Amino acid sequence: MIATSMNQHAMKPASTVLDDDRVREVSLARRLMSRPEFGALAGAVLVFMIFGLSAGGSGMFSAEGIVNWSTVAAYLGVLAVGAALLMIAGEFDLSVGSMIGFGGMLLAIPALYWGWPIWLSALFAFGVALSLGWLNGWLVVRTGLPSFIVTLAFFFILRGLSLAVSVIFTGKTILSTNGDLVLRDMIANDPLVSLLFHGYTLTWLFDALAHAGLLAARDDGTALAIGLPKVVLWWLALTGVGAFVLSRTRVGNWIQAVGGDANAAKNVGIPVARVKIGLFMLMAFCSTVFAILQVADAGSAAADRGLQKEFEAIIAAVIGGCLLTGGYGSVVGAAFGALIFGMVQIGIGYTSIDNNWYRVFLGLMLLIAVIFNNYVRKRFALGKR
């Protein structure tokens, strides 16, 4: 029987076998290109190649260089996770940048001026931020207004509150004392906050590699690259959880359904209001994580922190495959979009290219990503070749 089957296969015309191969090739191409993160992955590879050729010998891909641009990418990546999930659900949050500045003030003022322990100040910051995220989502759902309008209003409200509250309680808009040492020491000396937000990890591994001659070392033998910043761990953790939820859970199906057609999703029993409000709260959580990590790194809080971060997060999500109309996108793609940001922003400094071209590049990447995502959505996701 096996021989008969083999004979029958051998008797097939050559054109039939070639057609089968072409079908398999087309199917593979369709599967790859229909993935929302495909464009961002291709873009990241292209950027790696460009800087590998133009800045490969300048230290950009040394351990210190990798830590530098991965840190920039990680900060944006933390925001991109929330922005991507919110965009897939068909909504935007333009209050992200203002929430970052406000969250830093919520951490610093109680700790420096009210005598609170830093862990309690951090809980206070998260509690207020999540409440504001809930309010954002509730207003969008309750009023039916576009999230663009509601969150734009909060963009101004929170920025104004950051300035006004800091002046009322402290008389200034940048909070640090004794050369930033007090706030930084409070964070470093608190076991929980320090573990989650301050400093580096895997320092021992970097030092071991330096002793082995695999990494550049200081005079005392320790690695020139101190370790992996905590923000990178937050980025990887949030991206992993977000990708798992979106692709492997019922909540992920709800998010995509709500973004595709909220009325249809509501008619089949999906809790549209809870999904949207939860995602606005997640965005507020990501913004506060960014704020506390930034305060822990700088040792100070400033009311004007987070400028334009809402737009950068949206751009990273769009480069990562999220459609502006909702219902389609990828958290992993948004992570690649943030990686492209970090590499370009830091990588230009390793080349002879004028830094003013950075924004030009980001604008072009956004335009190309939108065109490519729409093409993929129409030609492949809808079953066209």
Side-chain angles (χ1 to χ4, degrees), residues 81 233-247 331-332 335:
V81 172
L233 297 184
W234 274 101
W235 178 33
L236 295 176
L238 288 172
T239 299
V241 172
F244 176 80
V245 169
L246 186 64
S247 61
V331 174
V332 174

Side-chain angles (χ1 to χ4, degrees), residues 176-232:
S176 63
T177 56
N178 295 340
D180 299 342
L181 293 178
V182 172
L183 188 56
R184 182 184 285 114
D185 287 346
M186 291 179 70
I187 294 173
N189 294 330
D190 185 280
L192 179 60
V193 178
S194 177
L195 175 66
L196 293 176
F197 300 103
H198 181 260
Y200 297 81
T201 186
L202 298 180
T203 301
W204 60 270
L205 177 59
F206 280 65
D207 288 341
L209 293 174
H211 283 298
L214 299 176
L215 294 180
R218 304 173 189 271
D219 293 337
D220 60 0
T222 59
L224 190 59
I226 300 175
L228 196 66
K230 295 286 177 68
V231 64
V232 175

Side-chain angles (χ1 to χ4, degrees), residues 21 29 31 73 113 140 145 156 201 243 266 286 313 321 329 331 341 369 377:
D21 291 339
R31 285 198 299 270
Y113 295 91
V140 169
L145 291 172
F156 291 105
T201 186
K266 186 175 182 180
C286 293
V331 174
F341 262 74
R377 183 65 169 167

Side-chain angles (χ1 to χ4, degrees), residues 71-128:
T71 299
V72 175
Y75 270 107
L76 181 58
V78 167
L79 301 178
V81 172
L85 290 172
L86 195 57
M87 286 181 65
I88 294 170
E91 304 293 348
F92 297 92
D93 190 346
L94 298 182
S95 67
V96 170
S98 298
M99 183 70 77
I100 291 171
F102 191 58
M105 289 298 175
L106 291 174
L107 175 73
I109 290 176
L112 291 176
Y113 295 91
W114 299 351
W116 291 16
I118 197 69
W119 64 266
L120 184 58
S121 299
L123 287 179
F124 175 69
F126 276 113
V128 173

Side-chain angles (χ1 to χ4, degrees), residues 18-34 379-380 383-385:
L18 290 174
D19 288 342
D20 291 342
D21 291 339
R22 291 193 188 104
V23 169
R24 283 195 292 271
E25 291 174 2
V26 170
S27 298
L28 178 60
R30 284 174 58 82
R31 285 198 299 270
L32 288 175
M33 293 192 68
S34 63
R379 301 293 298 176
F380 291 92
K384 297 179 181 180
R385 295 187 181 181

Side-chain angles (χ1 to χ4, degrees), residues 15-364:
S15 61
T16 303
V17 176
L18 290 174
D19 288 342
D20 291 342
D21 291 339
R22 291 193 188 104
V23 169
R24 283 195 292 271
E25 291 174 2
V26 170
S27 298
L28 178 60
R30 284 174 58 82
R31 285 198 299 270
L32 288 175
M33 293 192 68
S34 63
R35 297 293 303 174
E37 62 270 11
F38 177 79
L41 175 58
V45 172
L46 179 61
V47 170
F48 265 102
M49 292 174 61
I50 291 173
F51 284 109
L53 294 173
S54 62
S58 61
M60 179 178 174
F61 294 100
S62 65
E64 311 89 79
I66 292 173
V67 167
N68 285 339
W69 52 258
S70 65
T71 299
V72 175
Y75 270 107
L76 181 58
V78 167
L79 301 178
V81 172
L85 290 172
L86 195 57
M87 286 181 65
I88 294 170
E91 304 293 348
F92 297 92
D93 190 346
L94 298 182
S95 67
V96 170
S98 298
M99 183 70 77
I100 291 171
F102 191 58
M105 289 298 175
L106 291 174
L107 175 73
I109 290 176
L112 291 176
Y113 295 91
W114 299 351
W116 291 16
I118 197 69
W119 64 266
L120 184 58
S121 299
L123 287 179
F124 175 69
F126 276 113
V128 173
L130 289 173
S131 300
L132 291 171
W134 178 89
L135 182 58
N136 259 336
W138 182 82
L139 287 172
V140 169
V141 171
R142 186 71 174 178
T143 64
L145 291 172
S147 56
F148 175 88
I149 298 299
V150 174
T151 58
L152 182 62
F154 271 87
F155 169 87
F156 291 105
I157 291 171
L158 294 180
R159 186 66 72 189
L161 280 176
S162 299
L163 294 167
V165 170
S166 63
V167 169
I168 289 173
F169 286 103
T170 71
K172 50 188 176 181
T173 59
I174 300 178
L175 306 185
S176 63
T177 56
N178 295 340
D180 299 342
L181 293 178
V182 172
L183 188 56
R184 182 184 285 114
D185 287 346
M186 291 179 70
I187 294 173
N189 294 330
D190 185 280
L192 179 60
V193 178
S194 177
L195 175 66
L196 293 176
F197 300 103
H198 181 260
Y200 297 81
T201 186
L202 298 180
T203 301
W204 60 270
L205 177 59
F206 280 65
D207 288 341
L209 293 174
H211 283 298
L214 299 176
L215 294 180
R218 304 173 189 271
D219 293 337
D220 60 0
T222 59
L224 190 59
I226 300 175
L228 196 66
K230 295 286 177 68
V231 64
V232 175
L233 297 184
W234 274 101
W235 178 33
L236 295 176
L238 288 172
T239 299
V241 172
F244 176 80
V245 169
L246 186 64
S247 61
R248 301 292 182 181
T249 68
R250 181 174 60 177
V251 174
N253 292 332
W254 288 355
I255 293 171
Q256 296 180 73
V258 167
D261 190 329
N263 290 328
K266 186 175 182 180
N267 290 336
V268 298
I270 294 176
V272 174
R274 279 192 294 162
V275 169
K276 290 190 176 186
I277 292 173
L279 291 175
F280 276 104
M281 294 177 70
L282 173 64
M283 189 71 256
F285 174 83
C286 293
S287 302
T288 309
V289 168
F290 183 109
I292 296 178
L293 286 165
Q294 193 176 58
V295 171
D297 179 58
S300 63
D304 61 350
R305 292 254 173 93
L307 290 175
Q308 297 187 343
K309 290 302 177 184
E310 57 277 346
F311 299 111
E312 292 183 2
I314 291 173
I315 292 172
V318 171
I319 292 174
C322 295
L323 291 181
L324 298 174
T325 53
Y328 186 79
S330 167
V331 174
V332 174
F336 279 117
L339 181 63
I340 291 172
F341 262 74
M343 289 192 64
V344 174
Q345 185 172 345
I346 300 299
I348 286 181
Y350 286 94
T351 67
S352 58
I353 302 173
D354 189 341
N355 285 333
N356 292 325
W357 289 99
Y358 166 64
R359 298 289 177 184
V360 176
F361 177 85
L362 292 183
L364 290 174

